[in-house]
Amino acid sequence: MKKVIQFILNEQAVCIETDPAGRLLDTIRHILGYKGTKEGCGIGECGACTVIMDGRTVNSCVTLNAQAEGRKVTTIEGLAGDRMADVIKKAYVEEGAVQCGFCTPGMVLSTYVLLKENPKPTQDEVRDGLSGNLCRCTGYTAIIRAVLRAAKELSGKEPEKEGSD
């Protein structure tokens, strides 16, 4: 049975008649056409479907349409032109943290939320912040460097070293 679901997607009001028990991933990608949100595993383990909902990352493949009701959802497309997101994306490219690109939108969204909450993370905090995102190509060294580089550029300071107070 379909129901009208209303939410904000990338700063635009969405009012859509859909199955409330359907996956938000399918609504975003197949109905609304935002292709940066991808399906990897379909069980909330890989992070390819990451979106930001009310300031927190969620796996849209295990989020029901009904859970988006009245919420603010942001996809990678919603960060276009955002200075912080631009710095993050540039750091990913400069550090070689992008290969096939399949995981990159989810990684960038997770990095964005991490740096909003913690502008100067340590390497361990970066690992924790990206723990729900899997990359099969690049490995994580370049990704961690990219996050730390973005943090440095955004704050204008060196990131904290492990074990320092």
Side-chain angles (χ1 to χ4, degrees):
M1 175 168 63
K2 291 189 174 188
K3 177 184 172 195
V4 174
I5 305 288
Q6 297 180 38
F7 60 101
I8 304 297
L9 179 64
N10 299 334
E11 304 296 331
Q12 300 294 317
V14 171
C15 181
I16 188 166
E17 189 173 352
T18 190
D19 179 1
R23 300 182 317 164
L24 184 60
L25 167 65
D26 296 325
T27 298
I28 289 171
R29 186 170 173 80
H30 301 298
I31 297 172
L32 299 172
Y34 291 92
K35 302 299 184 186
T37 305
K38 299 177 175 72
E39 181 163 8
C41 66
I43 58 172
E45 295 290 328
C46 75
C49 67
T50 299
V51 297
I52 300 171
M53 183 180 287
D54 291 341
R56 311 293 289 168
T57 56
V58 298
N59 293 315
S60 64
C61 73
V62 293
T63 301
L64 303 178
N65 288 324
Q67 291 174 280
E69 178 71 40
R71 312 285 288 279
K72 181 180 176 184
V73 179
T74 305
T75 67
I76 193 69
E77 293 91 347
L79 294 183
D82 181 281
R83 180 188 177 277
M84 183 177 187
D86 289 345
V87 168
I88 292 166
K89 289 184 264 185
K90 182 177 179 227
Y92 268 70
V93 170
E94 290 174 347
E95 291 295 335
V98 177
Q99 284 189 15
C100 84
F102 194 81
C103 71
T104 305
M107 289 282 190
V108 168
L109 287 165
S110 293
T111 300
Y112 187 86
V113 169
L114 170 66
L115 295 181
K116 282 272 192 192
E117 293 175 356
N118 182 358
K120 294 187 285 185
T122 64
Q123 287 185 18
D124 284 343
E125 290 167 334
V126 171
R127 284 185 194 95
D128 287 345
L130 299 180
S131 64
N133 298 82
L134 301 178
C135 176
R136 294 182 179 178
C137 300
T138 322
Y140 298 94
T141 303
I143 293 168
I144 292 166
R145 278 195 324 260
V147 175
L148 294 173
R149 180 182 192 137
K152 178 182 175 188
E153 184 170 330
L154 289 164
S155 72
K157 298 180 181 174
E158 287 289 328
E160 303 254 342
K161 300 289 186 233
E162 297 303 309
S164 62
D165 295 318

